[in-house]
Amino acid sequence: MTVATSKKRSKVLFAASEVYPFAKSGGLADVAAALPKALSETFDISVIMPFYRSIDAVRYNIVPLNIFYTLNMNGKAYEVKLYGCSYRGITYYFVYAPVLSEREYLYGPADQGYADNAVRFALFCRVIVKLLKEDGDFSILHLNDWQTALAALLVKEDESIETKTVYTIHNLAYQGIFPYHTLREIGLSEHYYHMDALEFYGSINLMKAGIAYADRITTVSREYAKEIQTETFGFGLEGFLFYHRNKLSGILNGIDTEVFSPQSDPFIIYHYDSEKYAKKFENKKAYLKERGLKGQQKPLFIFIGRFTWQKGVDILIDVLERTAQLDINIAILGEGETLYHQKLLRIVSRYRHIDLYFGYEEELSHQMYAAGDFLLMPSLFEPCGLNQMIAMHYGTLPVVHSVGGLKESVQPLEAFTEKSRKGFGICFGEAHADALYKALKDASYLYGTLRYKEICRHNMQCDFSWKRSAERYAALYRELDKA
Ligand code: ADP
């Protein structure tokens, strides 16, 4: 007689401050949705996030879980309720507390964060650790960005918790730096105010908690893992990261090919794949008509992203006026800093070949990926970047500044071979308006040629899914689980 045994899957808690489709301000939300999904066949994985008031509880069937905590920080009691739902096969926990949830924005208006963000997200971290402790069964806690970093310290502080922690840096530009007195407000003692812990040039730095106390640190590309140990990209943490380099590695993000699929995207009218590449043009025609742009045969360049210096918006603005000399159209979608809004508006009002849409519009962004001939990404630095992978998957050729994740995921056109499994695009080495302008010119010469189509169709056949990267995270979890 044989006895069937089923091996129990390890439990993982994945914590993030935004998760698509519940709340999204950028790539973190995409990653926090797609990575757990990709790992869910191997691990028993749940996701925890704040229950922002903008989240549509009815639509996602989010219900109270009958779990209530009272947590103390600096002598103040915070009442917390947990909610939950199951979505696309994953269990989600939502943390509700008025200070965390009852806000208009996730983190604050575009130009500044809420003054009490440290308290808001420290409370979130305390709830994560409380849940971990009550459950007692999670082997891995996967934390993301500064908003969840403090949980790594809280886990280490509590000897009764055996859970191992992984901390992922999605963008080193946002470190969660707050004035010294915040230390007390988030319920931490002076003990943590030193350079090996949270102290940072007289302030406190929450990201340092993740770097110092997590068992492993990852970031979202191998290139960025190297770059952040240098002065240019380290934002003051390069020395600290170099010191902790033995537990640091880079794993490139993937894209959710169920959400982003030219074959089945519900937001686009004409579905296509690399075989039916010509149909992509129908999306372009529909888009140009919708947005009032003229010239179907002109190459359409798209830019989608946050209007912030990181994304190279200054370079883009410098180049826009010059593009009147080229026979092209440009469509821009984004929101962000007021100064950029004003500058862009001023330029766009003078040129009819540039279309500008302010806002965060998921649907429109999908239509743009499907309609565009080229995607512009002149980022000054880019930890990973998803846009370029989405674009390649939609047969839209990326034009990128070769840095960080862009360098890793987009190979220069000159090296194109059909046999390669990598994606290709137009790459420029210097974050400068002249370099971007030259790339735009090269792109418009290339547009419509056989080579252009061949490369776009090649890119569409490449694998940008999470599969390979999820395997690397799985290996990391297993290694820690055994340790
Ligand atoms: P970030 O630095 O903002 O996280 P990423 O490239 O990692 O940049 O991810 C950006 C994600 O957000 C992509 O899915 C992109 O399509 C989307 N996105 C950015 N800005 C907008 C916008 N204004 N409207 C719709 N989607 C947007």
Side-chain angles (χ1 to χ4, degrees):
M1 194 177 82
T2 51
V3 179
T5 51
S6 72
K7 197 174 173 305
K8 217 175 133 218
R9 292 182 306 161
S10 302
K11 270 180 80 167
V12 176
L13 185 61
F14 190 97
S17 58
E18 53 182 270
V19 185
Y20 180 82
F22 308 106
K24 171 167 167 178
S25 78
L28 169 61
D30 289 331
V31 175
L35 176 57
K37 189 152 70 82
L39 287 166
S40 63
E41 278 177 26
T42 321
F43 299 92
D44 179 359
I45 190 161
S46 309
V47 178
I48 185 163
M49 66 176 293
F51 197 2
Y52 302 109
R53 76 167 188 214
S54 54
I55 295 176
D56 191 338
V58 177
R59 177 166 179 196
Y60 300 111
N61 205 10
I62 300 170
V63 294
L65 292 179
N66 233 341
I67 304 176
F68 304 92
Y69 300 143
T70 304
L71 294 164
N72 292 297
M73 284 194 293
N74 195 27
K76 211 166 153 190
Y78 294 87
E79 304 290 338
V80 177
K81 284 189 235 172
L82 290 197
Y83 288 74
C85 79
S86 172
Y87 181 74
R88 294 168 86 191
I90 306 278
T91 300
Y92 285 89
Y93 292 99
F94 296 89
V95 177
Y96 178 85
V99 69
L100 178 63
S101 310
E102 295 296 341
R103 299 289 163 102
E104 189 178 349
Y105 304 95
L106 311 189
Y107 315 116
D111 295 342
Q112 82 240 38
Y114 292 122
D116 61 351
N117 270 347
V119 171
R120 295 176 69 218
F121 290 100
L123 181 62
F124 179 46
C125 289
R126 288 182 183 278
V127 177
I128 295 168
V129 178
K130 178 87 174 158
L131 180 71
L132 212 64
K133 224 171 131 88
E134 304 265 298
D135 180 278
D137 227 11
F138 284 105
S139 330
I140 304 289
L141 171 64
H142 191 153
L143 303 162
N144 295 278
D145 275 350
W146 72 263
Q147 292 90 343
T148 55
L150 192 66
L153 178 154
L154 299 172
V155 168
K156 273 276 148 36
E157 202 180 43
D158 190 328
E159 284 174 2
S160 71
I161 304 178
E162 287 179 2
T163 309
K164 297 288 184 355
T165 51
V166 176
Y167 178 59
T168 300
I169 299 169
H170 295 262
N171 193 336
L172 200 67
Y174 305 97
Q175 299 179 4
I177 299 169
F178 297 95
Y180 162 73
H181 64 80
T182 318
L183 197 64
R184 202 166 3 100
E185 288 172 20
I186 61 173
L188 290 186
S189 73
E190 280 285 319
H191 170 71
Y192 293 105
Y193 192 69
H194 60 88
M195 61 183 274
D196 292 327
L198 300 193
E199 190 274 335
F200 189 69
Y201 299 103
S203 297
I204 66 157
N205 182 324
L206 291 178
M207 183 173 267
K208 283 186 77 184
I211 298 170
Y213 296 98
D215 296 301
R216 288 285 190 282
I217 312 162
T218 69
T219 187
V220 290
S221 63
R222 280 198 307 272
E223 278 300 321
Y224 195 57
K226 283 189 257 165
E227 287 172 357
I228 56 179
Q229 294 176 56
T230 67
E231 204 183 330
T232 317
F233 297 101
F235 290 100
L237 283 182
E238 57 276 11
F240 200 58
L241 283 158
F242 181 73
Y243 179 77
H244 288 284
R245 68 190 178 285
N246 289 339
K247 57 177 185 176
L248 170 67
S249 60
I251 304 178
L252 193 75
N253 288 334
I255 57 168
D256 189 332
T257 44
E258 267 180 47
V259 174
F260 293 105
S261 160
Q263 284 119 305
S264 59
D265 190 328
F267 297 136
I268 66 174
I269 311 171
Y270 304 98
H271 293 131
Y272 61 99
D273 55 23
S274 65
E275 296 299 311
K276 293 184 202 130
Y277 182 72
K279 267 194 132 183
K280 179 172 161 62
F281 191 59
E282 299 300 318
N283 290 298
K284 178 178 176 181
K285 285 200 284 191
Y287 181 82
L288 293 179
K289 190 163 174 229
E290 173 75 25
R291 302 295 306 156
L293 284 164
K294 299 267 178 296
Q296 292 173 359
Q297 301 309 327
K298 296 181 193 177
L300 172 64
F301 290 79
I302 59 167
F303 175 97
I304 300 170
R306 294 179 289 117
F307 294 152
T308 158
W309 63 279
Q310 179 205 332
K311 297 292 173 187
V313 182
D314 293 286
I315 302 175
L316 180 70
I317 288 171
D318 275 0
V319 158
L320 279 179
E321 301 212 19
R322 280 199 248 169
T323 61
Q325 299 158 25
L326 304 172
D327 202 17
I328 65 174
N329 280 312
I330 305 179
I332 301 171
L333 164 66
E335 61 182 0
E337 291 159 34
T338 318
L339 191 67
Y340 289 131
H341 279 231
Q342 289 164 348
K343 283 188 178 174
L344 284 167
L345 262 182
R346 223 173 294 141
I347 295 173
V348 169
S349 63
R350 301 201 334 256
Y351 297 99
R352 295 176 62 189
H353 71 289
I354 309 173
D355 178 49
L356 175 64
Y357 194 106
F358 286 132
Y360 195 93
E361 297 292 336
E362 197 68 33
E363 188 169 337
L364 184 64
S365 75
H366 286 232
Q367 290 161 359
M368 288 172 72
Y369 286 120
D373 298 307
F374 295 95
L375 169 93
L376 294 175
M377 243 177 135
S379 308
L380 304 190
F381 69 95
E382 196 58 78
C384 175
L386 296 175
N387 299 26
Q388 79 281 11
M389 290 192 263
I390 303 171
M392 288 189 280
H393 194 56
Y394 279 71
T396 303
L397 202 74
V399 178
V400 304
H401 173 217
S402 265
V403 72
L406 296 173
K407 190 168 176 183
E408 197 170 318
S409 59
V410 185
Q411 309 307 307
L413 221 59
E414 296 73 22
F416 175 68
T417 79
E418 243 173 42
K419 288 195 191 106
S420 169
R421 286 156 64 191
K422 298 191 165 176
F424 290 83
I426 296 177
C427 304
F428 54 96
E430 218 187 327
H432 193 278
D434 292 342
L436 175 61
Y437 185 67
K438 180 177 178 304
L440 275 160
K441 268 199 337 204
D442 292 348
S444 38
Y445 293 141
L446 182 72
Y447 177 63
T449 60
L450 276 177
R451 185 172 159 79
Y452 168 81
K453 284 181 201 147
E454 188 187 12
I455 297 169
C456 289
R457 290 180 56 202
H458 165 89
N459 285 351
M460 289 189 79
Q461 289 161 7
C462 294
D463 182 5
F464 297 109
S465 78
W466 267 99
K467 197 171 170 290
R468 227 170 319 147
S469 304
E471 278 164 14
R472 290 197 59 203
Y473 277 106
L476 189 73
Y477 289 175
R478 280 198 209 98
E479 183 195 321
L480 278 175
D481 206 7
K482 271 194 239 134

PDB file of all heavy atoms in Angstrom, residues 385-411:
ATOM      1  N   GLY A 385      11.954  49.910 -14.273  1.00  0.00           N
ATOM      2  CA  GLY A 385      11.123  50.452 -15.353  1.00  0.00           C
ATOM      3  C   GLY A 385      10.260  49.340 -15.921  1.00  0.00           C
ATOM      4  O   GLY A 385      10.753  48.243 -16.216  1.00  0.00           O
ATOM      5  N   LEU A 386       8.981  49.605 -16.013  1.00  0.00           N
ATOM      6  CA  LEU A 386       8.073  48.610 -16.595  1.00  0.00           C
ATOM      7  C   LEU A 386       7.644  49.031 -17.987  1.00  0.00           C
ATOM      8  O   LEU A 386       7.420  48.203 -18.864  1.00  0.00           O
ATOM      9  CB  LEU A 386       6.835  48.439 -15.706  1.00  0.00           C
ATOM     10  CG  LEU A 386       7.093  47.890 -14.296  1.00  0.00           C
ATOM     11  CD1 LEU A 386       5.810  47.883 -13.483  1.00  0.00           C
ATOM     12  CD2 LEU A 386       7.675  46.485 -14.371  1.00  0.00           C
ATOM     13  N   ASN A 387       7.528  50.349 -18.184  1.00  0.00           N
ATOM     14  CA  ASN A 387       6.999  50.868 -19.455  1.00  0.00           C
ATOM     15  C   ASN A 387       7.698  50.272 -20.667  1.00  0.00           C
ATOM     16  O   ASN A 387       7.052  49.929 -21.652  1.00  0.00           O
ATOM     17  CB  ASN A 387       7.165  52.394 -19.531  1.00  0.00           C
ATOM     18  CG  ASN A 387       6.419  53.112 -18.442  1.00  0.00           C
ATOM     19  OD1 ASN A 387       6.178  52.556 -17.385  1.00  0.00           O
ATOM     20  ND2 ASN A 387       6.059  54.350 -18.685  1.00  0.00           N
ATOM     21  N   GLN A 388       9.036  50.175 -20.576  1.00  0.00           N
ATOM     22  CA  GLN A 388       9.770  49.693 -21.759  1.00  0.00           C
ATOM     23  C   GLN A 388       9.435  48.241 -22.058  1.00  0.00           C
ATOM     24  O   GLN A 388       9.384  47.836 -23.220  1.00  0.00           O
ATOM     25  CB  GLN A 388      11.286  49.918 -21.567  1.00  0.00           C
ATOM     26  CG  GLN A 388      12.016  48.916 -20.694  1.00  0.00           C
ATOM     27  CD  GLN A 388      11.825  49.163 -19.195  1.00  0.00           C
ATOM     28  OE1 GLN A 388      10.999  49.962 -18.786  1.00  0.00           O
ATOM     29  NE2 GLN A 388      12.579  48.456 -18.368  1.00  0.00           N
ATOM     30  N   MET A 389       9.166  47.463 -20.991  1.00  0.00           N
ATOM     31  CA  MET A 389       8.828  46.047 -21.226  1.00  0.00           C
ATOM     32  C   MET A 389       7.407  45.928 -21.764  1.00  0.00           C
ATOM     33  O   MET A 389       7.133  45.141 -22.661  1.00  0.00           O
ATOM     34  CB  MET A 389       9.007  45.248 -19.938  1.00  0.00           C
ATOM     35  CG  MET A 389      10.476  45.105 -19.572  1.00  0.00           C
ATOM     36  SD  MET A 389      10.749  43.909 -18.272  1.00  0.00           S
ATOM     37  CE  MET A 389      10.852  44.943 -16.850  1.00  0.00           C
ATOM     38  N   ILE A 390       6.517  46.748 -21.204  1.00  0.00           N
ATOM     39  CA  ILE A 390       5.132  46.745 -21.720  1.00  0.00           C
ATOM     40  C   ILE A 390       5.164  47.141 -23.197  1.00  0.00           C
ATOM     41  O   ILE A 390       4.548  46.493 -24.050  1.00  0.00           O
ATOM     42  CB  ILE A 390       4.228  47.729 -20.920  1.00  0.00           C
ATOM     43  CG1 ILE A 390       4.243  47.394 -19.424  1.00  0.00           C
ATOM     44  CG2 ILE A 390       2.802  47.702 -21.459  1.00  0.00           C
ATOM     45  CD1 ILE A 390       3.555  48.423 -18.529  1.00  0.00           C
ATOM     46  N   ALA A 391       5.918  48.209 -23.484  1.00  0.00           N
ATOM     47  CA  ALA A 391       5.988  48.702 -24.869  1.00  0.00           C
ATOM     48  C   ALA A 391       6.488  47.601 -25.803  1.00  0.00           C
ATOM     49  O   ALA A 391       5.889  47.345 -26.849  1.00  0.00           O
ATOM     50  CB  ALA A 391       6.891  49.928 -24.938  1.00  0.00           C
ATOM     51  N   MET A 392       7.566  46.938 -25.435  1.00  0.00           N
ATOM     52  CA  MET A 392       8.120  45.903 -26.319  1.00  0.00           C
ATOM     53  C   MET A 392       7.101  44.780 -26.525  1.00  0.00           C
ATOM     54  O   MET A 392       6.968  44.245 -27.622  1.00  0.00           O
ATOM     55  CB  MET A 392       9.435  45.361 -25.743  1.00  0.00           C
ATOM     56  CG  MET A 392      10.573  46.366 -25.863  1.00  0.00           C
ATOM     57  SD  MET A 392      12.199  45.698 -25.437  1.00  0.00           S
ATOM     58  CE  MET A 392      12.190  45.764 -23.660  1.00  0.00           C
ATOM     59  N   HIS A 393       6.377  44.473 -25.457  1.00  0.00           N
ATOM     60  CA  HIS A 393       5.356  43.422 -25.547  1.00  0.00           C
ATOM     61  C   HIS A 393       4.224  43.818 -26.498  1.00  0.00           C
ATOM     62  O   HIS A 393       3.575  42.967 -27.093  1.00  0.00           O
ATOM     63  CB  HIS A 393       4.824  43.189 -24.126  1.00  0.00           C
ATOM     64  CG  HIS A 393       4.018  41.950 -23.979  1.00  0.00           C
ATOM     65  ND1 HIS A 393       4.506  40.706 -24.320  1.00  0.00           N
ATOM     66  CD2 HIS A 393       2.750  41.746 -23.538  1.00  0.00           C
ATOM     67  CE1 HIS A 393       3.568  39.795 -24.091  1.00  0.00           C
ATOM     68  NE2 HIS A 393       2.495  40.403 -23.622  1.00  0.00           N
ATOM     69  N   TYR A 394       3.999  45.131 -26.627  1.00  0.00           N
ATOM     70  CA  TYR A 394       2.959  45.648 -27.528  1.00  0.00           C
ATOM     71  C   TYR A 394       3.532  46.023 -28.899  1.00  0.00           C
ATOM     72  O   TYR A 394       2.858  46.698 -29.699  1.00  0.00           O
ATOM     73  CB  TYR A 394       2.260  46.873 -26.908  1.00  0.00           C
ATOM     74  CG  TYR A 394       1.186  46.519 -25.885  1.00  0.00           C
ATOM     75  CD1 TYR A 394       1.514  46.006 -24.647  1.00  0.00           C
ATOM     76  CD2 TYR A 394      -0.170  46.683 -26.177  1.00  0.00           C
ATOM     77  CE1 TYR A 394       0.535  45.674 -23.707  1.00  0.00           C
ATOM     78  CE2 TYR A 394      -1.156  46.353 -25.251  1.00  0.00           C
ATOM     79  CZ  TYR A 394      -0.791  45.851 -24.021  1.00  0.00           C
ATOM     80  OH  TYR A 394      -1.767  45.517 -23.103  1.00  0.00           O
ATOM     81  N   GLY A 395       4.791  45.663 -29.153  1.00  0.00           N
ATOM     82  CA  GLY A 395       5.396  45.956 -30.454  1.00  0.00           C
ATOM     83  C   GLY A 395       5.672  47.426 -30.673  1.00  0.00           C
ATOM     84  O   GLY A 395       5.678  47.907 -31.808  1.00  0.00           O
ATOM     85  N   THR A 396       5.920  48.153 -29.588  1.00  0.00           N
ATOM     86  CA  THR A 396       6.246  49.585 -29.643  1.00  0.00           C
ATOM     87  C   THR A 396       7.721  49.704 -29.282  1.00  0.00           C
ATOM     88  O   THR A 396       8.128  49.229 -28.219  1.00  0.00           O
ATOM     89  CB  THR A 396       5.363  50.353 -28.637  1.00  0.00           C
ATOM     90  OG1 THR A 396       4.000  50.077 -28.955  1.00  0.00           O
ATOM     91  CG2 THR A 396       5.612  51.837 -28.664  1.00  0.00           C
ATOM     92  N   LEU A 397       8.507  50.308 -30.154  1.00  0.00           N
ATOM     93  CA  LEU A 397       9.962  50.266 -29.949  1.00  0.00           C
ATOM     94  C   LEU A 397      10.410  51.278 -28.887  1.00  0.00           C
ATOM     95  O   LEU A 397      10.120  52.471 -29.011  1.00  0.00           O
ATOM     96  CB  LEU A 397      10.669  50.560 -31.284  1.00  0.00           C
ATOM     97  CG  LEU A 397      12.102  50.035 -31.348  1.00  0.00           C
ATOM     98  CD1 LEU A 397      12.128  48.527 -31.519  1.00  0.00           C
ATOM     99  CD2 LEU A 397      12.864  50.696 -32.480  1.00  0.00           C
ATOM    100  N   PRO A 398      11.123  50.807 -27.852  1.00  0.00           N
ATOM    101  CA  PRO A 398      11.562  51.764 -26.822  1.00  0.00           C
ATOM    102  C   PRO A 398      12.768  52.597 -27.256  1.00  0.00           C
ATOM    103  O   PRO A 398      13.656  52.098 -27.935  1.00  0.00           O
ATOM    104  CB  PRO A 398      11.923  50.860 -25.636  1.00  0.00           C
ATOM    105  CG  PRO A 398      12.194  49.525 -26.206  1.00  0.00           C
ATOM    106  CD  PRO A 398      11.451  49.424 -27.518  1.00  0.00           C
ATOM    107  N   VAL A 399      12.750  53.852 -26.828  1.00  0.00           N
ATOM    108  CA  VAL A 399      13.887  54.762 -27.039  1.00  0.00           C
ATOM    109  C   VAL A 399      14.317  55.159 -25.640  1.00  0.00           C
ATOM    110  O   VAL A 399      13.600  55.890 -24.951  1.00  0.00           O
ATOM    111  CB  VAL A 399      13.445  56.016 -27.842  1.00  0.00           C
ATOM    112  CG1 VAL A 399      14.602  56.982 -28.027  1.00  0.00           C
ATOM    113  CG2 VAL A 399      12.850  55.616 -29.193  1.00  0.00           C
ATOM    114  N   VAL A 400      15.453  54.645 -25.176  1.00  0.00           N
ATOM    115  CA  VAL A 400      15.762  54.757 -23.741  1.00  0.00           C
ATOM    116  C   VAL A 400      17.153  55.299 -23.458  1.00  0.00           C
ATOM    117  O   VAL A 400      18.080  55.103 -24.250  1.00  0.00           O
ATOM    118  CB  VAL A 400      15.636  53.373 -23.037  1.00  0.00           C
ATOM    119  CG1 VAL A 400      14.263  52.773 -23.247  1.00  0.00           C
ATOM    120  CG2 VAL A 400      16.705  52.391 -23.504  1.00  0.00           C
ATOM    121  N   HIS A 401      17.261  55.955 -22.310  1.00  0.00           N
ATOM    122  CA  HIS A 401      18.584  56.267 -21.766  1.00  0.00           C
ATOM    123  C   HIS A 401      19.082  54.986 -21.099  1.00  0.00           C
ATOM    124  O   HIS A 401      18.426  54.445 -20.203  1.00  0.00           O
ATOM    125  CB  HIS A 401      18.462  57.407 -20.739  1.00  0.00           C
ATOM    126  CG  HIS A 401      19.743  57.668 -20.018  1.00  0.00           C
ATOM    127  ND1 HIS A 401      19.784  58.015 -18.684  1.00  0.00           N
ATOM    128  CD2 HIS A 401      21.030  57.612 -20.437  1.00  0.00           C
ATOM    129  CE1 HIS A 401      21.046  58.174 -18.322  1.00  0.00           C
ATOM    130  NE2 HIS A 401      21.813  57.942 -19.368  1.00  0.00           N
ATOM    131  N   SER A 402      20.246  54.512 -21.522  1.00  0.00           N
ATOM    132  CA  SER A 402      20.751  53.222 -21.031  1.00  0.00           C
ATOM    133  C   SER A 402      21.226  53.314 -19.597  1.00  0.00           C
ATOM    134  O   SER A 402      22.386  53.603 -19.342  1.00  0.00           O
ATOM    135  CB  SER A 402      21.924  52.788 -21.893  1.00  0.00           C
ATOM    136  OG  SER A 402      21.475  51.938 -22.877  1.00  0.00           O
ATOM    137  N   VAL A 403      20.340  53.047 -18.690  1.00  0.00           N
ATOM    138  CA  VAL A 403      20.692  53.151 -17.280  1.00  0.00           C
ATOM    139  C   VAL A 403      19.838  52.150 -16.499  1.00  0.00           C
ATOM    140  O   VAL A 403      18.714  51.832 -16.913  1.00  0.00           O
ATOM    141  CB  VAL A 403      20.463  54.623 -16.810  1.00  0.00           C
ATOM    142  CG1 VAL A 403      18.994  54.970 -16.696  1.00  0.00           C
ATOM    143  CG2 VAL A 403      21.176  54.939 -15.511  1.00  0.00           C
ATOM    144  N   GLY A 404      20.384  51.613 -15.413  1.00  0.00           N
ATOM    145  CA  GLY A 404      19.627  50.715 -14.528  1.00  0.00           C
ATOM    146  C   GLY A 404      18.899  49.613 -15.275  1.00  0.00           C
ATOM    147  O   GLY A 404      19.460  48.930 -16.131  1.00  0.00           O
ATOM    148  N   GLY A 405      17.625  49.477 -14.961  1.00  0.00           N
ATOM    149  CA  GLY A 405      16.821  48.416 -15.559  1.00  0.00           C
ATOM    150  C   GLY A 405      16.623  48.584 -17.053  1.00  0.00           C
ATOM    151  O   GLY A 405      16.382  47.610 -17.774  1.00  0.00           O
ATOM    152  N   LEU A 406      16.737  49.833 -17.543  1.00  0.00           N
ATOM    153  CA  LEU A 406      16.593  50.071 -18.983  1.00  0.00           C
ATOM    154  C   LEU A 406      17.772  49.444 -19.724  1.00  0.00           C
ATOM    155  O   LEU A 406      17.624  48.837 -20.779  1.00  0.00           O
ATOM    156  CB  LEU A 406      16.519  51.572 -19.279  1.00  0.00           C
ATOM    157  CG  LEU A 406      15.306  52.309 -18.709  1.00  0.00           C
ATOM    158  CD1 LEU A 406      15.434  53.815 -18.932  1.00  0.00           C
ATOM    159  CD2 LEU A 406      14.022  51.801 -19.354  1.00  0.00           C
ATOM    160  N   LYS A 407      18.948  49.574 -19.112  1.00  0.00           N
ATOM    161  CA  LYS A 407      20.155  49.017 -19.712  1.00  0.00           C
ATOM    162  C   LYS A 407      20.069  47.494 -19.744  1.00  0.00           C
ATOM    163  O   LYS A 407      20.522  46.851 -20.687  1.00  0.00           O
ATOM    164  CB  LYS A 407      21.349  49.464 -18.879  1.00  0.00           C
ATOM    165  CG  LYS A 407      22.684  49.172 -19.477  1.00  0.00           C
ATOM    166  CD  LYS A 407      23.754  49.908 -18.705  1.00  0.00           C
ATOM    167  CE  LYS A 407      25.134  49.569 -19.229  1.00  0.00           C
ATOM    168  NZ  LYS A 407      26.155  50.232 -18.423  1.00  0.00           N
ATOM    169  N   GLU A 408      19.487  46.946 -18.695  1.00  0.00           N
ATOM    170  CA  GLU A 408      19.416  45.483 -18.595  1.00  0.00           C
ATOM    171  C   GLU A 408      18.339  44.888 -19.511  1.00  0.00           C
ATOM    172  O   GLU A 408      18.499  43.790 -20.011  1.00  0.00           O
ATOM    173  CB  GLU A 408      19.125  45.109 -17.136  1.00  0.00           C
ATOM    174  CG  GLU A 408      19.441  43.673 -16.835  1.00  0.00           C
ATOM    175  CD  GLU A 408      19.373  43.386 -15.344  1.00  0.00           C
ATOM    176  OE1 GLU A 408      19.859  44.204 -14.538  1.00  0.00           O
ATOM    177  OE2 GLU A 408      18.821  42.334 -15.000  1.00  0.00           O
ATOM    178  N   SER A 409      17.243  45.625 -19.713  1.00  0.00           N
ATOM    179  CA  SER A 409      16.126  45.017 -20.441  1.00  0.00           C
ATOM    180  C   SER A 409      16.038  45.433 -21.910  1.00  0.00           C
ATOM    181  O   SER A 409      15.344  44.792 -22.685  1.00  0.00           O
ATOM    182  CB  SER A 409      14.801  45.347 -19.743  1.00  0.00           C
ATOM    183  OG  SER A 409      14.616  46.732 -19.674  1.00  0.00           O
ATOM    184  N   VAL A 410      16.732  46.517 -22.293  1.00  0.00           N
ATOM    185  CA  VAL A 410      16.681  46.940 -23.702  1.00  0.00           C
ATOM    186  C   VAL A 410      18.101  46.912 -24.287  1.00  0.00           C
ATOM    187  O   VAL A 410      18.973  47.664 -23.862  1.00  0.00           O
ATOM    188  CB  VAL A 410      16.108  48.377 -23.851  1.00  0.00           C
ATOM    189  CG1 VAL A 410      15.950  48.748 -25.324  1.00  0.00           C
ATOM    190  CG2 VAL A 410      14.779  48.525 -23.118  1.00  0.00           C
ATOM    191  N   GLN A 411      18.301  46.014 -25.246  1.00  0.00           N
ATOM    192  CA  GLN A 411      19.617  45.914 -25.894  1.00  0.00           C
ATOM    193  C   GLN A 411      19.664  46.904 -27.056  1.00  0.00           C
ATOM    194  O   GLN A 411      18.655  47.112 -27.739  1.00  0.00           O
ATOM    195  CB  GLN A 411      19.849  44.498 -26.442  1.00  0.00           C
ATOM    196  CG  GLN A 411      19.601  43.391 -25.445  1.00  0.00           C
ATOM    197  CD  GLN A 411      20.375  43.598 -24.165  1.00  0.00           C
ATOM    198  OE1 GLN A 411      21.591  43.788 -24.203  1.00  0.00           O
ATOM    199  NE2 GLN A 411      19.686  43.615 -23.036  1.00  0.00           N
TER     200      GLN A 411
END
